[in-house]
Amino acid sequence: PMESIPVCIENRRHPEKTKYITPQLEPILRVSYGCMLYQEQVMQIFRSLAGYSLGRADIVRRAMSKKKHSVMEKEREIFVYGLQNADGGVEVEGCTRRGIPVEAANRIFDEMSSFASYAFNKSHAAAYALVAYQTAWLKRHYPCEFMAALLSSVIDSSGKIAEYAAECAKQGIRLLPPSVNTGAERFTVEEGAVRFGLLAVKNLGQGLIQSILREREKNGSFASLYSFLKRTQGRDFNRRAAEALILCGALDDLGANRRAMLLALPAFLSELENDARRNVEGQLGFFDMAVAEGAPMAEPELPQAAEFSQEELLAREKETMGFYLSGHPLAKLEKVAARIQSAKIADLLDPANETGQGSYRDHQELSLLCVIVSVKKKITKSNATMAFVTVEDLTGQMEVLMFPTVLERFANLCAEGGAVLLSGRLSLQENKDAKLVCNTVEDMNGAAGEEEACAAKAPQIPASKKKHRRGVFLRFASRKDPRIAKAEKYLAIFEGALPLSYYYEDEARYARAGLRGVDWNPTLEHLLRELLGESNVAASE
């Protein structure tokens, strides 16, 4: 548990500070510096202090880990006072029969109740700790290799790829498009960047990819669309695969834009099919005749065509790879998202929210600026239609529930690829991904053009405050703004002498923050601006 970490570290450094509620706990908790860390310790406490059998201790341990409060409260009485059989025999002695005061027994049970839901068994804890150290070291010293391996591990999940791609961007690692000339089946490292794996592109089979790689290894890189098609003809190749390779950007280095290649594809494939048919029939094609006579072989020319618009390129990338690679429809709405204090999906999906350690709570009202990925409709028992909507932002994907009345009202805005602002309440359930229960939908496709006008209306931190007062000034919507908790985690790391003030928009006034002060530095500035938005952070030293 988070609250145990400082105590555990302090006691490890200073063993003399370790305290036990009762001496009987020392042989059990000595190994973890007085803190309950492992499930085995919880079971041992039940057995050693209250006389439980091994089987009964395990049953209680499972009830605690699943937060079954009714079972736990019933078990408290047994833990403290013991349990007698119907014939009057003692089944469980209980703490009081073993000389432990009632108050101490209740305190121990309370601690076990709060810790057991976070505890692992010791072998799992050791394994997880080892993997955590290894991956942290790799991510620090070999970030590109680490992210390439991580992306390859989820190559069948476009949602996870989008999530890890966002992490690449956060770390400053470029994610290059797939390429038939330099790419591989899986994600690879290329000149300080990560190259997209061909196996993650839709409509590309492993057999085709392997044949492309074998041909490249045997005869060198591909120089043009026509030569690529001619060299890779075979039973694994088809028109859908060729279109996917063009639209995902895997053929971008063959000397033509995607639209021109897509327009040329039918004619090129037709010519190659005719050549193959003539060869089977023992005839020479036009190009073969030219080569036979000693003339250089000329390839058919591609049509002259302007490239697709940026919106079209992104849509086609989404279609073939499952996410946006060269950009994102929401990129132009980042300032809008900051101004309206949109939540971030990565923060909403944070498992710490379930335990109360995260920035969000169950049933919390919030707004989310996102793009609709898919809409799945379902008929309810009352014969009405509701929808399960998958949405994404720059940080990840999540599911949104639209019940019949909401769906009926906003059905016209629920189109795949549309940018929308959703308002609703967060639903957090144990061992399930967070969901948003939607109340309203607002079309945001034209919002980027309106940002300048909106920004002019947005309240700014008063210039007089920034110029004439020393300190750090952060702006929040209200004292209940969920981002305050996360901001204060960052601020607590960088304590210093510079005064800290919050500006609450609903009150239109400043208030001194409870923290002592701040050590202003580029790292803290980056974290706060990323969390709150550029216009909500100011500092004057």
Side-chain angles (χ1 to χ4, degrees):
M2 292 287 288
E3 62 266 26
S4 297
I5 293 173
V7 177
C8 191
I9 293 173
E10 184 69 14
N11 291 351
R12 181 182 179 183
R13 291 174 176 166
H14 306 283
E16 71 279 1
K17 293 185 178 182
T18 304
K19 296 178 182 178
Y20 303 97
I21 296 174
T22 181
Q24 290 93 326
L25 288 177
E26 184 174 357
I28 301 172
L29 302 182
R30 186 191 303 122
V31 67
S32 53
Y33 312 102
C35 297
M36 296 179 198
L37 299 185
Y38 309 118
Q39 292 181 347
E40 291 90 341
Q41 289 175 321
V42 172
M43 293 173 64
Q44 199 173 349
I45 289 169
F46 274 102
R47 298 191 69 205
S48 299
L49 275 65
Y52 277 59
S53 68
L54 190 59
R56 188 179 185 93
D58 187 53
I59 290 171
V60 178
R61 188 267 312 164
R62 275 184 284 172
M64 281 187 167
S65 67
K66 294 179 180 177
K67 300 180 182 177
K68 294 182 177 179
H69 298 291
S70 59
V71 176
M72 287 157 53
E73 282 310 306
K74 180 182 176 183
E75 210 63 42
R76 179 193 293 272
E77 291 293 313
I78 299 171
F79 177 77
V80 176
Y81 299 106
L83 177 66
Q84 287 185 315
N85 292 325
D87 59 4
V90 176
E91 184 176 333
V92 178
E93 287 187 36
C95 290
T96 53
R97 282 194 179 94
R98 296 195 167 193
I100 299 171
V102 172
E103 182 185 355
N106 276 304
R107 281 180 60 199
I108 293 167
F109 192 90
D110 288 339
E111 286 196 14
M112 286 193 297
S113 297
S114 60
F115 293 170
S117 52
Y118 302 102
F120 283 87
N121 65 56
K122 195 171 183 178
S123 62
H124 281 201
Y128 271 80
L130 178 61
V131 172
Y133 272 108
Q134 290 172 331
T135 51
W137 188 88
L138 288 167
K139 186 175 181 182
R140 170 64 181 85
H141 295 287
Y142 297 92
C144 292
E145 289 80 358
F146 177 79
M147 293 308 300
L150 197 62
L151 284 158
S152 294
S153 73
V154 294
I155 204 159
D156 294 325
S157 171
S158 57
K160 278 291 183 183
I161 289 175
E163 180 182 336
Y164 295 150
E167 178 65 19
C168 285
K170 188 176 177 182
Q171 292 185 57
I173 297 172
R174 286 188 306 136
L175 187 57
L176 305 175
S179 170
V180 295
N181 276 333
T182 60
E185 276 190 36
R186 298 186 176 273
F187 291 79
T188 52
V189 177
E190 187 178 314
E191 298 180 355
V194 174
R195 175 69 72 179
F196 200 90
L198 289 166
L199 203 55
V201 179
K202 297 177 182 179
N203 299 323
L204 293 188
Q206 192 169 24
L208 171 61
I209 294 170
Q210 290 177 349
S211 68
I212 291 172
L213 299 180
R214 282 195 300 268
E215 171 62 26
R216 186 180 78 194
E217 185 178 354
K218 182 180 178 181
N219 297 311
S221 298
F222 303 100
S224 67
L225 174 64
Y226 188 82
S227 66
F228 169 76
L229 295 173
K230 185 166 186 176
R231 288 168 59 183
T232 54
Q233 270 186 309
R235 62 183 181 182
D236 292 314
F237 196 86
N238 57 58
R239 179 169 174 171
R240 287 183 67 196
E243 289 176 346
L245 286 167
I246 292 170
L247 295 173
C248 74
L251 305 182
D252 280 0
D253 54 357
L254 300 190
N257 65 50
R258 298 181 195 181
R259 186 161 180 250
M261 286 191 283
L262 200 63
L263 290 171
L265 185 62
F268 283 10
L269 290 176
S270 178
E271 175 61 33
L272 290 169
E273 287 170 6
N274 290 336
D275 278 354
R277 194 179 303 113
R278 285 194 292 267
N279 288 337
V280 170
E281 295 170 355
Q283 300 176 8
L284 285 177
F286 174 78
F287 294 110
D288 297 317
M289 289 173 61
V291 172
E293 293 171 4
M297 178 179 172
E299 292 184 0
E301 292 185 2
L302 281 89
Q304 296 295 315
E307 180 59 289
F308 292 118
S309 66
Q310 179 67 11
E311 289 77 11
E312 183 71 8
L313 284 173
L314 291 178
R316 299 300 183 97
E317 286 180 0
K318 177 74 173 177
E319 181 184 329
T320 54
M321 292 186 287
F323 85 109
Y324 304 101
L325 178 60
S326 60
H328 197 284
L330 290 183
K332 59 187 178 183
L333 295 174
E334 281 191 279
K335 290 183 179 179
V336 178
R339 175 171 56 79
I340 62 180
Q341 299 178 345
S342 169
K344 293 181 179 179
I345 289 178
D347 293 338
L348 299 180
L349 295 178
D350 186 350
N353 292 329
E354 283 186 37
T355 64
Q357 302 290 334
S359 304
Y360 292 92
R361 302 288 181 271
D362 191 25
H363 299 302
Q364 183 171 333
E365 298 287 335
L366 56 88
S367 296
L368 177 64
L369 181 57
C370 56
V371 171
I372 295 176
V373 176
S374 65
V375 180
K376 295 181 180 178
K377 296 181 179 179
K378 180 182 177 181
I379 305 298
T380 67
K381 291 180 181 179
S382 60
N383 206 32
T385 304
M386 66 173 293
F388 297 88
V389 183
T390 301
V391 301
E392 73 174 25
D393 64 4
L394 294 168
T395 67
Q397 291 187 354
M398 73 179 297
E399 188 174 70
V400 174
L401 302 181
M402 288 190 185
F403 290 111
T405 53
V406 175
L407 180 61
E408 183 180 0
R409 184 179 173 192
F410 299 105
N412 61 316
L413 299 180
C414 297
E416 292 183 10
V420 292
L421 177 64
L422 306 179
S423 297
R425 60 178 175 81
L426 187 63
S427 174
L428 299 175
Q429 296 183 34
E430 191 175 358
N431 299 323
K432 291 185 179 180
D433 286 340
K435 292 179 173 56
L436 181 66
V437 180
C438 181
N439 294 326
T440 62
V441 183
E442 182 180 344
D443 183 9
M444 298 297 287
N445 288 297
E450 302 168 5
E451 172 56 21
E452 189 174 339
C454 293
K457 299 177 184 177
Q460 301 294 318
I461 296 175
S464 59
K465 298 286 184 184
K466 290 189 283 187
K467 291 178 181 177
H468 305 301
R469 263 179 59 187
R470 225 177 125 260
V472 174
F473 307 92
L474 307 179
R475 179 170 55 195
F476 300 98
S478 69
R479 295 178 186 269
K480 294 182 179 180
D481 193 317
R483 298 173 302 168
I484 293 176
K486 193 159 189 177
E488 290 187 341
K489 287 181 181 178
Y490 296 149
L491 294 162
I493 297 171
F494 300 99
E495 279 194 9
L498 203 60
L500 175 66
S501 297
Y502 293 164
Y503 181 85
Y504 300 112
E505 289 185 309
D506 60 340
E507 300 175 14
R509 70 182 186 87
Y510 279 86
R512 282 296 300 272
L515 299 174
R516 282 178 288 181
V518 180
D519 173 22
W520 191 243
N521 58 73
T523 300
L524 178 59
E525 182 178 6
H526 171 75
L527 290 169
L528 291 173
R529 291 192 188 282
E530 187 179 58
L531 174 66
L532 305 177
E534 293 287 331
S535 63
N536 294 323
V537 179
S540 175
E541 299 183 71

